[in-house]
Amino acid sequence: MRHGPVVVFAAVFVEQIGVPLPAAPWLLAAGALAASGKTNWFVALSAAVLGSVLADLIWFYLGRRGGQRVLSLLCRISLEPDSCVRKTQDLFTRYGMRGVVAAKFVPGLSTLLPPLAGHAGVSAPRFLFFDGLGSLLYAGCFVLLGVLFSHQLEQIIDALTGLGHSALGVVVGLAALYIGYKYFQRHRLLRELRMARITVDELRQKQEAGERLVILDLRSHAELEQNPSLIRGALHVTMDELPLRQQEIPRDREIILYCSCPNEVSSARMALLLHRSGIPRVRPLLGGIDAWRERNYPTELRTVGVASALSVDSRSQEPQQQAQILATREQKSLRTPDGKAG
């Protein structure tokens, strides 16, 4: 009640900048206090929107300057393993700038989308408009809920007030429990997905030794459009397509999966799925495509129809024959329905 707008601004700014401390309780409290006339709802709402937009603008310009490095950093420190670059890019590709508005209500995505928008070349005024709209809707919804449930929230606030200085300890303790739970949840997931990963050096050695591998690039179409280079010899299949095409994957060759997230959570999950489906020799690539690029190992541009190579029977085809079949299929995929070349 004494420092309402400043507290609301700080809480929203800290959340949007990436610190895993939810701002929703403070917005609910601001709404409850506004309903009883103890604070000005307009000032509190303005402070929340300003804190959100300011934090997002910082990430927006960092994304414009740092690009994929900034996204990879956020992916490493995120408490939400599922809210990695791939998931955020899918949302941005499907909904465009409307995704910036919707992301405000999804934990983890609200911090990742601003640098992604900056990296994608979105103009600052356009980003500012949609981000401001999303910030207003996000803060306004929680303030409104605080107004509607002001009686119940007033009881909680009065209880905290009665604790005096101990109330700060309660708040800090709850925040520590929340962060601890999220870290525990994250490490438990990584522990469940831990398997025989392969390093980029080991993969390169296998390639140089002439081993017959199936390397699958699991990045989204949106990310591949921005950077169409794949690990040499890799095939592109999205994570949505892979479960539907797992019967086409050869069982007698080692399968290497990679994505763009440094924690390789997504590729590890897909590897676990394929392993449970009866494909024993499947391994996620440690560090993904970024680790491969850092070592300056060879890449190649994506070609049309490469995913059709999964249907080649590796037990009866030599590598040269497989290449001929793949080339024929790619040529057919480039023809129009009337048989003319497209």
Side-chain angles (χ1 to χ4, degrees), residues 8 13 113 204 286 288 324 330:
V8 170
F13 179 84
L113 261 174
R204 183 58 186 155
L286 184 63
Q324 292 176 356
E330 290 178 357

Side-chain angles (χ1 to χ4, degrees), residues 60 64 71 84-103 109 112-123 126-127 130-131 220-223 225-226:
F60 175 79
R64 175 160 292 181
L71 294 171
C84 195
V85 177
R86 177 190 64 85
K87 188 175 180 180
T88 312
Q89 286 175 326
D90 290 343
L91 178 67
F92 188 70
T93 302
R94 182 175 300 179
Y95 299 106
M97 292 306 297
R98 291 176 298 169
V100 176
V101 178
L109 298 190
L112 280 166
L113 261 174
L116 180 60
H119 180 51
V122 176
S123 65
R126 178 175 170 82
F127 171 78
F130 282 96
D131 188 68
S220 66
H221 290 295
E223 185 175 358
E225 288 176 2
Q226 291 185 355

Side-chain angles (χ1 to χ4, degrees), residues 41-286:
W41 69 269
F42 179 77
V43 174
L45 182 61
S46 300
V49 173
L50 180 61
S52 176
V53 171
L54 181 59
D56 291 343
L57 279 175
I58 292 174
W59 281 120
F60 175 79
Y61 282 108
L62 286 175
R64 175 160 292 181
R65 290 179 175 272
Q68 190 66 32
R69 294 193 304 272
V70 174
L71 294 171
S72 298
L73 172 64
L74 286 172
C75 186
R76 280 191 177 95
I77 65 177
S78 173
L79 288 180
E80 302 285 345
D82 288 335
S83 300
C84 195
V85 177
R86 177 190 64 85
K87 188 175 180 180
T88 312
Q89 286 175 326
D90 290 343
L91 178 67
F92 188 70
T93 302
R94 182 175 300 179
Y95 299 106
M97 292 306 297
R98 291 176 298 169
V100 176
V101 178
K104 290 293 179 184
F105 298 89
V106 183
L109 298 190
S110 58
T111 303
L112 280 166
L113 261 174
L116 180 60
H119 180 51
V122 176
S123 65
R126 178 175 170 82
F127 171 78
L128 190 60
F129 171 78
F130 282 96
D131 188 68
L133 178 61
S135 300
L136 179 62
L137 291 175
Y138 171 73
C141 285
F142 281 105
V143 170
L144 180 59
L145 285 174
V147 172
L148 296 177
F149 295 95
S150 59
H151 179 69
Q152 291 83 354
L153 291 171
E154 278 281 359
Q155 294 177 340
I156 297 175
I157 293 174
D158 290 340
L160 289 174
T161 304
L163 292 175
H165 294 294
S166 301
L168 179 61
V170 173
V171 173
V172 172
L174 290 174
L177 286 175
Y178 174 79
I179 295 175
Y181 169 73
K182 297 304 291 185
Y183 270 114
F184 169 76
Q185 189 180 48
R186 174 189 178 92
H187 286 292
R188 184 182 63 179
L189 173 63
L190 293 174
R191 186 170 60 252
E192 290 175 354
L193 296 175
R194 187 175 293 121
M195 57 183 66
R197 290 172 169 83
I198 184 171
T199 66
V200 293
D201 294 329
E202 292 172 338
L203 175 58
R204 183 58 186 155
Q205 290 172 5
K206 287 178 177 290
Q207 286 183 327
E208 292 175 341
E211 294 190 28
R212 300 175 63 192
L213 307 170
V214 175
I215 307 173
L216 300 181
D217 185 310
L218 304 179
R219 291 176 293 166
S220 66
H221 290 295
E223 185 175 358
L224 212 60
E225 288 176 2
Q226 291 185 355
N227 192 337
S229 61
L230 287 74
I231 292 176
R232 180 175 293 178
L235 309 174
H236 177 246
V237 182
T238 67
M239 294 189 189
D240 294 330
E241 296 169 349
L242 186 60
L244 302 176
R245 307 195 61 179
Q246 56 182 289
Q247 297 302 324
E248 303 176 26
I249 299 177
R251 265 56 175 176
D252 63 336
R253 294 160 67 180
E254 190 169 12
I255 313 299
I256 310 297
L257 307 179
Y258 73 87
C259 60
S260 59
C261 185
N263 296 319
E264 73 270 350
V265 172
S266 299
S267 58
R269 273 185 165 165
M270 289 295 102
L272 188 61
L273 173 66
L274 295 180
H275 191 270
R276 290 173 176 173
S277 301
I279 304 178
R281 301 171 60 191
V282 53
R283 303 171 69 181
L285 180 64
L286 184 63

